[in-house]
């Protein structure tokens, strides 16, 4: 796939918006009428907070940008990952954004100016676009998801329904609102910039005839995992929302009553939970994505570091033997083992075809998936206990009439246990245990992470093996007693308990996906119990002494 081409105005027909991997970025594109030596400027909306709301068009132009001008404090880091590594990012906190944009464009750079939400709604499109036009710098606009529609959508409040067809948007940030114009009870009001003047807004609306019992809601930090929505009435809104953070939005009207039925985002089982995943980003990618689907904020903290074997000759002989037919079976016990063999294959110019005629076994769903991505379909994966013991239970005994070779290759970590070898030997097989990689304890995480672990800043920790328990405690300390401890199986739970941890969740099958699901079920039960008891909805981290609570 080649990079999508940009036409002078608007998008190209058939534009995918996704540049090909490794392709050269198109940074020299011009709009019609651009003076010589002047770069292109694109004014882009990045949505109200959730990086998943960035449009395909916005991601495309970010990938071509030489310079990005943005208020970094309000920009999710995931959004800037669409930029090239060499792109320049200018923070609007360091200067006038219009001047920063114009200066970069006049230097011949392809510039993207990012706005919160949509550039044309409660943003500076008029001022900055007008300044660019006056300076003779052509520009384009890429609309974004506006907070006016995005935040109510995430709060579960439709702005219109069968009985209410009119929506009126009020920006109160400059004051001086004529509330008489908004007295009609038929119109839904979306009020911006009123975080610190809630009482004045409510009084103004009631003074022009809006009933004190009119449903009203306020949502702060909308579309993010810190979102909070309070449903009240005009009369009670100021008191009920005291202490809520900015940015916030007020919605006034009967449509607010839909929230009881349509709230979906804040009702996720792990909504806003900060979950520590003691794995590398590469290992934790699918697990973290699953946790985000449950509303959590995963944070990967590696507890081990994977390094090559000290002496590579053993692996080199094993790969040679694999190609020349020395083995009947190859057993992969981890994703790291698959990666080590794959890298060695690459060194020798080999690919998955070298496994032709071999039988391949895998321990665990993730290991099997890594093999499939390599181009190898495993012949044997334990369906029950996904461990060395589980593999031995389903492994066929050696039969000299059916098996021409009785040798099994095990490319593993240097600290692997002997359980698998003992089991296969008892079944008549000869095992060659080869060190494919070494595992060493990772360096301690940064001080803020260590403090959060010990101080109760995390809501939950997922332990995927006994070694992750030992290593995390070794490099960062013991998790706080309010933190929910979730373990992948009984052995991991036993290790955690031996080190003084209270284990809250043990999944019924040893897979990281099942572990995340079990934690989500725990979170859903905990939330339901709080609702039934009439207690405030609190995350585990908010239960520790001294945790900040909204009054």
């Amino acid at each position: 796939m080649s990079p999508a081409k940009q036409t002078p105005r608007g998008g190209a027909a058939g534009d995918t918006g996704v540049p090909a991997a490794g392709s050269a970025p198109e940074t020299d594109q011009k709009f019609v009428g651009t003076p010589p030596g002047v770069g292109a400027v694109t004014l882009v909306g990045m949505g109200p907070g959730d990086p998943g709301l960035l449009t395909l068009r916005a991601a495309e132009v970010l990938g071509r940008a030489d310079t990005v001008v943005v208020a970094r404090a309000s920009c999710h880091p995931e959004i800037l990952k669409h930029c090239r590594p060499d792109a320049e990012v200018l923070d609007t906190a360091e200067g006038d954004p219009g001047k920063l944009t114009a200066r970069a464009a006049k230097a011949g750079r392809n510039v993207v100016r990012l706005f919160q939400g949509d550039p044309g709604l409660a943003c500076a499109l008029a001022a900055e676009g007008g300044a660019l036009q006056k300076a003779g710098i052509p520009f384009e606009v890429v609309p974004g998801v506006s907070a006016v529609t995005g935040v109510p959508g995430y709060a579960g409040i439709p702005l219109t329904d069968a009985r209410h067809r009119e929506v009126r948007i009020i920006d109160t940030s400059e004051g001086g609102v004529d509330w008489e114009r908004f007295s009609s009870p038929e119109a839904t009001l979306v009020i911006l910039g009123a975080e610190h003047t809630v009482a004045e807004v409510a009084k103004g609306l009631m003074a022009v005839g809006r009933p004190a019992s009119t449903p009203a809601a306020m949502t702060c930090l909308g579309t993010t995992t810190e979102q909070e929505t309070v449903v009240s009435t005009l009369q009670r809104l100021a008191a009920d929302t005291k202490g809520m953070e900015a940015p916030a939005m007020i919605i006034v009207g009967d449509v607010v009553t839909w929230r009881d039925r349509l709230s979906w985002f804040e009702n996720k089982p792990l909504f806003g939970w900060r979950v520590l995943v003691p794995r590398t980003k590469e290992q934790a990618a699918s697990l973290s994505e699953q946790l985000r689907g449950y509303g959590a904020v995963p944070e990967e903290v590696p507890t081990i570091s994977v390094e090559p074997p000290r002496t590579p000759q053993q692996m080199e002989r094993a790969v040679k033997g694999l190609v020349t037919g020395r083995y009947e079976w190859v057993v992969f016990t981890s994703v790291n083992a698959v990666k080590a063999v794959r890298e060695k294959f690459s060194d020798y110019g080999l690919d998955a075809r070298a496994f032709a005629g071999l039988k391949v076994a895998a321990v665990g769903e993730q290991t099997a998936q890594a093999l499939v991505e390599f181009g190898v379909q495993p012949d044997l994966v334990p369906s029950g206990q996904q461990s060395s013991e589980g593999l031995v239970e389903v492994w066929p005994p050696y039969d000299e009439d059916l098996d021409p070779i009785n040798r099994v290759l095990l490319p593993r970590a240097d600290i692997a246990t002997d359980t698998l070898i003992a089991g296969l030997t008892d079944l008549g097989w000869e095992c060659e245990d080869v060190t494919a990689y070494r595992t060493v304890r990772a360096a301690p995480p940064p001080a803020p992470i260590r403090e959060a672990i010990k101080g109760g800043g995390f809501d939950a920790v997922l332990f995927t093996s006994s070694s992750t328990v030992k290593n995390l405690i070794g490099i960062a300390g013991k998790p706080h007693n309010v933190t929910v401890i979730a373990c992948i199986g009984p052995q991991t739970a036993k290790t955690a308990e031996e080190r003084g941890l209270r284990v809250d969740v043990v999944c019924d099958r040893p897979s990281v996906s099942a572990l995340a699901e079990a934690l989500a079920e725990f979170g859903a039960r905990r939330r339901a119990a709080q609702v039934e008891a009439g207690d405030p909805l609190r995350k585990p981290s908010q239960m520790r002494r001294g945790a900040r609570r909204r009054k």
Side-chain angles (χ1 to χ4, degrees):
M1 188 191 305
S2 60
K5 302 292 185 182
Q6 181 183 7
T7 53
R9 296 288 175 187
D15 190 352
T16 65
V18 182
S23 60
E26 297 181 23
T27 61
D28 57 349
Q29 297 193 16
K30 303 286 185 181
F31 303 145
V32 172
T34 303
V38 176
V41 174
T42 310
L43 308 175
V44 177
M46 61 180 174
D50 182 350
L53 296 179
L54 191 74
T55 66
L56 292 174
R57 176 68 172 152
E60 177 197 346
V61 297
L62 278 171
R64 289 203 308 265
D66 299 314
T67 298
V68 177
V69 180
V70 62
R72 296 202 73 147
S74 61
C75 179
H76 196 288
E78 290 293 323
I79 289 177
L80 295 181
K81 286 185 178 180
H82 292 281
C83 302
R84 304 195 321 267
D86 62 339
E88 174 188 39
V89 179
L90 302 178
D91 192 344
T92 59
E94 300 174 0
D96 179 82
K99 292 180 179 178
L100 292 173
T101 301
R103 189 180 305 126
K106 289 178 179 178
R109 300 180 69 80
N110 184 11
V111 186
V112 168
R113 165 70 170 110
L114 284 174
F115 293 89
Q116 187 93 22
D118 179 80
L121 190 56
C123 288
L125 172 60
E128 293 187 31
L132 290 170
Q133 187 275 333
K134 185 176 181 180
I137 302 173
F139 60 89
E140 287 192 349
V141 176
V142 176
V145 175
S146 169
V148 169
T149 55
V151 172
Y154 272 52
I157 301 174
L159 297 181
T160 63
D161 60 16
R163 294 176 53 244
H164 304 88
R165 305 294 184 88
E166 182 182 1
V167 180
R168 307 194 70 179
I169 303 164
I170 310 167
D171 184 354
T172 67
S173 57
E174 300 298 324
V177 178
D178 180 5
W179 293 110
E180 190 70 46
R181 298 170 55 197
F182 307 105
S183 60
S184 170
E186 301 303 317
T188 299
L189 304 183
V190 179
I191 303 172
L192 311 175
E195 297 93 340
H196 307 298
T197 57
V198 179
E200 290 84 344
V201 167
K203 289 177 182 177
L205 287 171
M206 289 187 288
V208 297
R210 286 262 182 164
S213 60
T214 302
M218 184 165 170
T219 297
C220 68
L221 304 174
T223 79
T224 75
T225 51
E226 297 297 316
Q227 174 176 307
E228 181 181 9
T229 301
V230 171
V231 174
S232 184
T233 63
L234 277 180
Q235 186 174 36
R236 291 285 311 163
L237 188 63
D240 291 346
T241 60
K242 186 178 180 181
M244 288 183 73
E245 297 185 44
M249 173 186 295
I250 297 172
I251 303 171
V252 178
D254 290 340
V255 293
V256 169
T257 60
W258 281 101
R259 176 172 160 81
D260 286 343
R261 286 162 282 175
L262 301 184
S263 179
W264 62 274
F265 187 51
E266 292 169 64
N267 285 346
K268 289 191 173 189
L270 301 177
F271 180 75
W273 283 36
R274 187 182 181 193
V275 179
L276 189 150
V277 181
R279 297 161 72 88
T280 63
K281 287 186 180 296
E282 185 179 57
Q283 290 176 313
S286 62
L287 174 58
S288 293
E289 187 61 30
Q290 185 179 357
L291 289 169
R292 290 188 189 96
Y294 295 133
V297 183
E299 194 156 345
E300 296 96 354
V301 177
T303 60
I304 63 168
S305 176
V306 176
E307 298 183 0
R310 287 192 175 90
T311 55
Q313 291 81 5
Q314 192 182 31
M315 264 292 282
E316 291 169 359
R317 286 194 300 269
V319 170
K320 182 179 179 181
L322 188 150
V323 174
T324 58
R326 177 175 172 79
Y327 307 106
E328 179 77 5
W329 282 90
V330 182
V331 180
F332 291 94
T333 58
S334 70
V335 172
N336 284 326
V338 177
K339 181 180 178 182
V341 171
R342 190 169 183 172
E343 289 175 349
K344 188 59 68 174
F345 268 35
S346 179
D347 291 343
Y348 289 117
L350 300 172
D351 57 27
R353 289 173 292 183
F355 285 95
L358 278 164
K359 296 173 184 174
V360 179
V363 176
E365 297 172 358
Q366 279 68 41
T367 304
Q369 182 60 37
L371 282 168
V372 171
E373 292 170 359
F374 187 14
V376 179
Q377 186 65 47
D379 299 283
L380 184 63
V381 180
S383 57
Q385 186 179 2
Q386 296 186 26
S387 63
S388 295
E389 293 87 346
L391 184 60
V392 171
E393 287 179 5
V394 297
W395 193 278
Y398 172 69
D399 187 325
E400 61 183 8
D401 295 325
L402 299 176
D403 302 307
I405 304 169
N406 77 331
R407 200 170 292 111
V408 179
L409 173 63
L410 281 82
R412 306 192 296 170
D414 57 332
I415 60 172
T417 65
D418 294 331
T419 304
L420 183 56
I421 293 177
L424 297 185
T425 301
D426 289 343
L427 291 169
W429 295 91
E430 178 186 335
C431 299
E432 285 194 9
D433 192 14
V434 174
T435 299
Y437 61 94
R438 292 185 301 120
T439 55
V440 298
R441 182 176 285 179
I449 298 294
R450 299 197 303 272
E451 292 166 4
I453 291 171
K454 292 182 287 188
F458 283 97
D459 297 288
V461 177
L462 297 184
F463 286 120
T464 55
S465 67
S466 291
S467 63
T468 58
V469 178
K470 300 172 187 175
N471 290 336
L472 182 70
I473 293 175
I475 64 175
K478 187 186 297 185
H480 194 279
N481 59 12
V482 300
T483 305
V484 174
I485 305 297
C487 296
I488 201 166
Q491 185 57 51
T492 303
K494 180 181 177 183
T495 302
E497 289 169 346
E498 289 173 348
R499 279 152 181 78
L501 298 179
R502 181 202 67 253
V503 176
D504 303 286
V505 178
V506 181
C507 65
D508 56 4
R509 65 184 191 277
S511 83
V512 293
S513 177
L515 180 58
E517 183 179 347
L519 179 64
E521 290 172 352
F522 174 88
R525 291 193 301 271
R526 184 180 184 277
R527 179 186 181 91
Q530 289 178 331
V531 171
E532 185 176 355
D535 295 333
L537 295 177
R538 301 292 185 198
K539 297 181 293 184
S541 60
Q542 292 175 316
M543 306 303 290
R544 72 191 192 277
R545 183 176 298 175
R548 180 181 59 83
R549 299 186 182 186
R550 190 178 63 81
K551 301 298 184 184

